[in-house]
Amino acid sequence: MSQSSDPKRDELHDRLVDQALREVLGGETPPDLSDKILAAAEKQEFVSSQRKEHVMGKSGGGYRFWSVGAVAACLLVGLGIVVFSFQGRQLALERNQEVALESRQRTAVPQTAAEPANHPSRPPQPSPSNRAAGPKGQGRDKAAKWAWENLDGGTQGVLGQPFVTMRQEFSGDLDIPFSPPPNANSEAEVLQQLTARQQEEYSARDEKGRGPGRGGDKYDRLFENPFRPVEDYPLSTFSIDVDTASYANVRRFLLEEGRLPPPDAVRIEELINYFDYDYAGPEDDVPFAAHIEAAGCPWKAGHRLVRIGLKGKQIEQDQRPPRNLVFLLDVSGSMNSPDKLPLLKKGMKLLAGQLGENDRVAIVVYASAEGLALPSTSGAEREKIIAALDELQAGGSTAGGAGIELAYRIAQENFIEGGVNRVLLCTDGDFNVGTTSTGDLQRMVEQRAASGVFLSVLGFGRGNLNDAMMETISNKGNGNYAYIDGITEARKVLVEQMGGTLVTIAKDVKIQVEFNPAQVAAYRLIGYENRILAAEDFNDDKKDAGEIGAGHTVTALYEVVPFGEKIDVPSVDPLKYQAPARPRDDAVASKEMLTLKVRYKEPDGDTSRLLEFPLVEGGDAFGKSSRDFQFASAVAAFGMLLRGSEHRGTATYDAVLEIASAAKGPDVHGYRSELLEMVRRAQSLSRR
Amino acid sequence: MATLVRAHQAGVWRYLRFLGCDPAEADDLVQETFLTVLREPFELRSPTQTAAYLRMVARNRLLMARRKQRRVPTAIDLEAAEAVWARVAGEDGLNHYLVALNDCLEAAVSPRVRRALELQYRDRASRAEIAAALDMAVEGVKTLLRRARSALRDCVERKVGK
């Protein structure tokens, strides 16, 4: 049965039998390197922070890192003997001591139960399996800690030579409160029950994502914008956001993984902005046009919904400026899954097909050591680009800091005046060696953006996605953040949007809306929670804001409580020393509901320009509004339902479906139909 | 972290030996593998996925080491080796396999063959020495051992359910 006809496989099977026999009969057991590894790992952080400057900017630094790390670990272990022999200390340190003492002196260690340290000794010798499960390291334990050995019961080797030495110790390390299950009769049962519980814990964590410094996807907590009374807050200021990552991420949760997304993964403005709306482009030489529309609010009777739409001017294919693109690819081990590096490679091959001879592409990879996989190459040399892509392999860990420096340097060296100069960071997670902190990265990315090299971030996969950090650094780098959940999205972002995402037509685009207190009692900006600016930032040209690309549309919705409607916001006591501001007489007379002000800078400019657009409300019912208005409001309602928003009013999945399918329009690419599918899926998931 | 290392370090070591590392090299690469993994916030996955991820990192460390030494990447086909390992050795770093092999040695092997295997693996006897001890031709020893390994392989794979 197991004899296969493949000789190569047979040979490998023989090899395995041979190896197993060497262990079972010959006593060639694996050494126990745990303590050595743990000690080295503990020092690793220390060493890597000490060596930060040295590692950065050098290729091949990884190997040196290891040797220095090993030397430092040895020194520290030695130091540990001197320092810690006087203190009953933590488990791992105590182990270091035992190991070091044993391996150097080969004498019994009196203070703890004997622990065989047979690791560096050659030839290998059989290891006695009875490790004492003595109560060590109590100070560190958060939960009940216990140990057992020989999980399989009778795993004693032949001829009295034990070959399986397995010991599991659950302690505070895992951060899961562990205690022996009460109804377990045998160790095997204990193991089984614990594993099941562990799995539950893990999947429960995955549901919500995790906090910083932990594995798992990371999402920043979002607090929804509340209703603001116009009396106290006449101005609403925010930065535009053209990201769409949240939509693709939500789509993956719903359609592929069949579960509701964690609320903090849902950024409503990114859901709305995923779709193109049919706004007219600008006619004169301004980079974009603004369109305002108002109608009844579909989820709250009496409220009004105001939509602000910006449309960037189109750039024809033949007028597109040359591109200098540097892809910074994470090729760490975790990228080695079909939805990560292989998907990225496919997407980049599609892009390679679109490049012209004036375009340049380079590929920088980062893992244990950063490296240049493809020097800056003309778009005409497609084969060369594709060959470089084919050679990429995932492996090693992430050293993003050094990689990003190299990528920026190459972008700078090949800078095209008047062209698109951009670093595209493609990753599934973190940077954690070199420029480590998000703060450092932000500062660096900000500096580089000022010099004309912008940054885009493409997120991939699940498990370690640092959504929060990726969004932050793409914002700082005058870039955008997209989540690639499949080849369709890869094509949309890398091929279809190449005109939009990559050709920035205006930067630091800020929106400020002044509401007329004679018309509006309160308002609420839907989404854009992490894009809110202070009112004074609007005129401050030093304050960074979002970019808009060629042909891009940006949409924002306000839910407005008209003057005279009851507003449900906590009241503030009347001021003792000031009279409350009163609307100006001409405001009362004005029919204007609000004035939209937009500030932007030319892509290479430093001073902003201001555009103003007043809105006069016509009092239209929702049914009279434009198709795009209706569709956007359905998407907003969908987002609120997914977030479990307190402002969702009477919104239901059914209502969303009804509005969205009526307002779907021609839907050439099928994106809107896909939304309907997502709504249906969310509806059925939420019923469970 | 400690749990991860303790549960998997032996398996990774065995795996590296299987891929052709000598014991000292396996020691080094096991450490590198775990340090690589522990440098990133480690995502807790199912034991099977964890073991597979560790093996992948170990393979990459091996390839990098070989590149540094300017040696031929590896004598054996890593992908095929991984496929074989994943199929029969699985998530527990060969533990089940070893238990099964132990049973098979008790049950499925004649005392004579058992003696030959012990001579070869435990006493590191040469074929000639084995032939002398068992009173048979040197050529016969080779066949005997080959058949024994083949029978053991069948028996073990039946036991581990592959």
Side-chain angles (χ1 to χ4, degrees):
Chain A
M1 164 192 86
S2 57
Q3 292 288 1
S4 65
S5 52
D6 182 354
K8 202 164 73 182
R9 253 208 354 238
D10 273 347
E11 194 198 300
L12 287 164
H13 279 280
D14 278 342
R15 199 187 167 92
L16 200 56
V17 175
D18 187 56
Q19 183 177 342
L21 283 167
R22 278 204 306 269
E23 183 159 347
V24 172
L25 293 174
E28 190 203 281
T29 49
D32 187 355
L33 299 165
S34 311
D35 300 320
K36 222 169 154 183
I37 293 166
L38 291 171
E42 221 159 89
K43 308 300 173 257
Q44 183 165 264
E45 277 180 33
F46 169 76
V47 174
S48 70
S49 64
Q50 293 289 307
R51 280 185 46 80
K52 192 156 82 180
E53 286 74 24
H54 299 283
V55 174
M56 282 194 315
K58 277 185 206 169
S59 65
Y63 200 72
R64 259 165 277 149
F65 169 83
W66 284 112
S67 34
V68 174
V71 171
C74 291
L75 287 175
L76 285 163
V77 168
L79 198 67
I81 298 168
V82 180
V83 176
F84 295 113
S85 55
F86 300 106
Q87 306 168 14
R89 285 289 289 242
Q90 296 175 346
L91 180 68
L93 292 169
E94 206 172 87
R95 287 269 175 68
N96 295 346
Q97 183 184 343
E98 291 165 26
V99 169
L101 278 173
E102 282 224 2
S103 59
R104 280 162 207 211
Q105 301 172 1
R106 295 256 149 241
T107 54
V109 184
Q111 69 268 42
T112 53
E115 184 143 38
N118 64 336
H119 58 92
S121 55
R122 295 279 165 236
Q125 52 189 19
S127 64
S129 74
N130 291 331
R131 288 162 156 263
K136 292 188 223 160
Q138 297 90 332
R140 180 156 151 187
D141 288 5
K142 291 181 200 155
K145 189 186 79 179
W146 53 297
W148 71 88
E149 60 238 58
N150 289 349
L151 285 173
D152 293 320
T155 52
Q156 287 288 331
V158 281
L159 308 173
Q161 290 174 352
F163 54 81
V164 180
T165 305
M166 194 177 194
R167 175 180 189 228
Q168 298 243 342
E169 202 167 88
F170 290 99
S171 68
D173 287 337
L174 262 171
D175 248 15
I176 299 174
F178 267 114
S179 54
N183 306 323
N185 297 322
S186 70
E187 284 166 351
E189 274 180 62
V190 168
L191 178 64
Q192 215 171 7
Q193 293 186 19
L194 274 180
T195 318
R197 268 174 51 189
Q198 230 171 321
Q199 297 287 357
E200 268 168 38
E201 293 272 359
Y202 300 161
S203 55
R205 281 194 205 166
D206 282 343
E207 291 293 320
K208 302 260 184 267
R210 293 170 211 171
R214 306 294 303 266
D217 299 343
K218 295 176 190 132
Y219 300 103
D220 262 353
R221 175 92 192 263
L222 281 184
F223 295 94
E224 271 185 295
N225 297 323
F227 275 104
R228 295 284 192 196
V230 176
E231 229 176 32
D232 303 325
Y233 303 94
L235 295 172
S236 166
T237 312
F238 63 99
S239 152
I240 64 155
D241 179 2
V242 292
D243 294 349
T244 56
S246 177
Y247 182 86
N249 197 9
V250 166
R251 175 172 64 196
R252 180 168 176 170
F253 272 112
L254 290 171
L255 299 186
E256 278 179 42
E257 298 176 7
R259 58 193 175 118
L260 290 168
D264 291 333
V266 182
R267 288 188 288 271
I268 297 177
E269 76 278 13
E270 295 190 18
L271 267 49
I272 297 173
N273 282 327
Y274 184 82
F275 299 95
D276 273 336
Y277 300 99
D278 193 15
Y279 308 144
E283 285 175 354
D284 32 28
D285 63 345
V286 291
F288 51 84
H291 300 272
I292 320 175
E293 188 175 349
C297 176
W299 55 80
K300 184 86 182 178
H303 287 189
R304 312 286 297 165
L305 205 57
V306 175
R307 186 212 62 201
I308 293 167
L310 301 184
K311 168 84 174 181
K313 74 170 175 240
Q314 296 276 8
I315 292 183
E316 297 304 322
Q317 191 85 9
D318 53 355
Q319 289 170 4
R320 196 180 265 177
R323 291 167 281 190
N324 162 31
L325 309 177
V326 180
F327 282 88
L328 175 56
L329 309 186
D330 177 353
V331 291
S332 64
S334 59
M335 285 290 281
N336 196 6
S337 107
D339 58 349
K340 296 179 182 175
L341 191 61
L343 172 62
L344 169 60
K345 283 158 83 168
K346 274 187 217 154
M348 286 182 62
K349 284 180 189 171
L350 294 177
L351 170 68
Q354 302 284 313
L355 296 171
E357 57 178 342
N358 294 326
D359 299 324
R360 301 199 69 79
V361 180
I363 301 175
V364 174
V365 295
Y366 67 93
S368 303
E370 77 287 0
L372 190 55
L374 176 73
S376 191
T377 303
S378 162
E381 296 179 72
R382 194 170 308 154
E383 282 79 26
K384 195 172 157 194
I385 298 170
I386 288 181
L389 283 171
D390 281 335
E391 276 191 16
L392 295 176
Q393 270 190 353
S397 77
T398 310
I404 205 165
E405 297 237 327
L406 179 62
Y408 272 120
R409 205 175 66 225
I410 289 167
Q412 210 65 262
E413 283 167 7
N414 296 283
F415 196 86
I416 301 177
E417 282 298 331
V420 173
N421 296 283
R422 193 175 282 266
V423 170
L424 296 107
L425 165 62
C426 309
T427 179
D428 65 340
D430 275 331
F431 303 94
N432 47 13
V433 176
T435 309
T436 31
S437 75
T438 309
D440 283 352
L441 260 177
Q442 276 179 26
R443 267 186 292 280
M444 177 175 127
V445 162
E446 240 168 349
Q447 266 174 18
R448 303 302 179 131
S451 73
V453 179
F454 293 178
L455 175 79
S456 288
V457 180
L458 310 184
F460 289 83
R462 275 264 180 280
N464 194 27
L465 183 69
N466 195 340
D467 184 74
M469 180 204 220
M470 283 156 66
E471 210 208 351
T472 310
I473 64 167
S474 69
N475 290 346
K476 298 289 175 191
N478 281 1
N480 53 339
Y481 167 37
Y483 179 79
I484 311 286
D485 62 341
I487 191 67
T488 319
E489 188 66 13
R491 175 186 289 278
K492 183 174 191 246
V493 171
L494 288 169
V495 181
E496 283 174 33
Q497 294 182 346
M498 280 300 282
T501 322
L502 294 179
V503 185
T504 303
I505 53 165
K507 67 177 183 184
D508 292 346
V509 182
K510 301 170 192 170
I511 290 180
Q512 187 165 64
V513 178
E514 182 183 349
F515 290 91
N516 180 355
Q519 297 278 337
V520 179
Y523 62 87
R524 177 175 80 87
L525 175 60
I526 299 172
Y528 293 91
E529 279 83 5
N530 51 16
R531 302 295 175 128
I532 299 294
L533 297 173
E536 59 271 24
D537 290 345
F538 184 68
N539 291 337
D540 183 349
D541 283 352
K542 288 197 290 293
K543 288 283 173 194
D544 184 60
E547 282 61 50
I548 187 166
H552 249 167
T553 58
V554 181
T555 300
L557 293 174
Y558 279 99
E559 184 178 344
V560 168
V561 185
F563 185 77
E565 287 279 328
K566 183 177 157 292
I567 53 169
D568 191 17
V569 281
S571 64
V572 180
D573 292 333
L575 293 178
K576 200 168 157 190
Y577 306 111
Q578 290 180 32
R582 289 165 49 87
R584 293 154 59 122
D585 290 347
D586 49 354
V588 178
S590 163
K591 291 269 181 280
E592 287 178 13
M593 181 193 214
L594 55 86
T595 293
L596 164 69
K597 296 184 285 179
V598 186
R599 268 199 186 277
Y600 69 94
K601 293 179 197 159
E602 300 288 341
D604 48 2
D606 286 329
T607 42
S608 63
R609 295 176 58 185
L610 176 69
L611 303 174
E612 283 193 40
F613 312 86
L615 167 72
V616 179
E617 242 279 58
D620 281 344
F622 181 73
K624 291 265 174 73
S625 62
S626 71
R627 196 162 61 197
D628 278 345
F629 182 99
Q630 296 187 7
F631 190 81
S633 71
V635 179
F638 179 47
M640 289 194 293
L641 289 167
L642 289 176
R643 289 188 50 80
S645 164
E646 57 171 317
H647 302 297
R648 64 185 183 275
T650 57
T652 59
Y653 287 113
D654 279 325
V656 171
L657 278 175
E658 195 185 319
I659 297 170
S661 45
K664 192 165 65 123
D667 191 27
V668 186
H669 298 291
Y671 297 138
R672 293 187 176 195
S673 306
E674 192 180 56
L675 177 88
L676 296 177
E677 203 188 325
M678 284 162 65
V679 179
R680 282 187 209 105
R681 183 66 65 89
Q683 183 173 37
S684 72
L685 287 169
S686 64
R687 279 186 190 137
R688 281 184 196 166
Chain B
M1 185 166 103
T3 316
L4 170 85
V5 175
R6 286 182 209 293
H8 291 282
Q9 61 104 14
V12 175
W13 190 87
R14 290 183 181 124
Y15 181 65
L16 285 162
R17 288 283 286 131
F18 175 59
L19 297 184
C21 296
D22 63 38
E25 193 183 16
D27 285 6
D28 291 344
L29 290 175
V30 167
Q31 294 179 56
E32 286 190 17
T33 299
F34 279 97
L35 291 178
T36 305
V37 168
L38 295 175
R39 252 194 298 170
E40 298 187 70
F42 188 72
E43 179 203 346
L44 293 156
R45 301 177 220 196
S46 75
T48 316
Q49 284 173 312
T50 303
Y53 178 52
L54 286 166
R55 288 203 301 276
M56 188 190 70
V57 176
R59 272 200 308 284
N60 287 322
R61 302 306 314 182
L62 171 63
L63 283 174
M64 281 171 75
R66 290 290 149 91
R67 224 171 280 150
K68 287 270 181 325
Q69 301 157 352
R70 302 193 185 284
R71 272 166 64 183
V72 189
T74 48
I76 68 170
D77 179 346
L78 289 184
E79 262 177 45
E82 162 64 20
V84 166
W85 182 279
R87 208 166 75 89
V88 297
E91 63 180 56
D92 69 348
L94 215 63
N95 278 337
H96 276 91
Y97 192 97
L98 292 170
V99 174
L101 180 66
N102 198 14
D103 292 346
C104 289
L105 279 170
E106 305 287 1
V109 168
S110 72
R112 186 180 158 82
V113 172
R114 171 68 181 251
R115 179 86 191 112
L117 289 168
E118 280 175 10
L119 282 167
Q120 188 193 10
Y121 286 97
R122 195 181 57 189
D123 304 335
R124 318 219 162 154
S126 68
R127 255 183 223 143
E129 286 164 349
I130 300 173
L134 296 179
D135 192 24
M136 58 192 296
V138 176
E139 265 313 292
V141 172
K142 192 178 164 191
T143 317
L144 180 80
L145 289 171
R146 200 186 62 230
R147 285 202 189 130
R149 274 199 298 268
S150 172
L152 284 171
R153 174 190 156 189
D154 279 356
C155 170
V156 168
E157 292 186 5
R158 228 174 354 230
K159 274 190 189 293
V160 297
K162 300 287 149 64

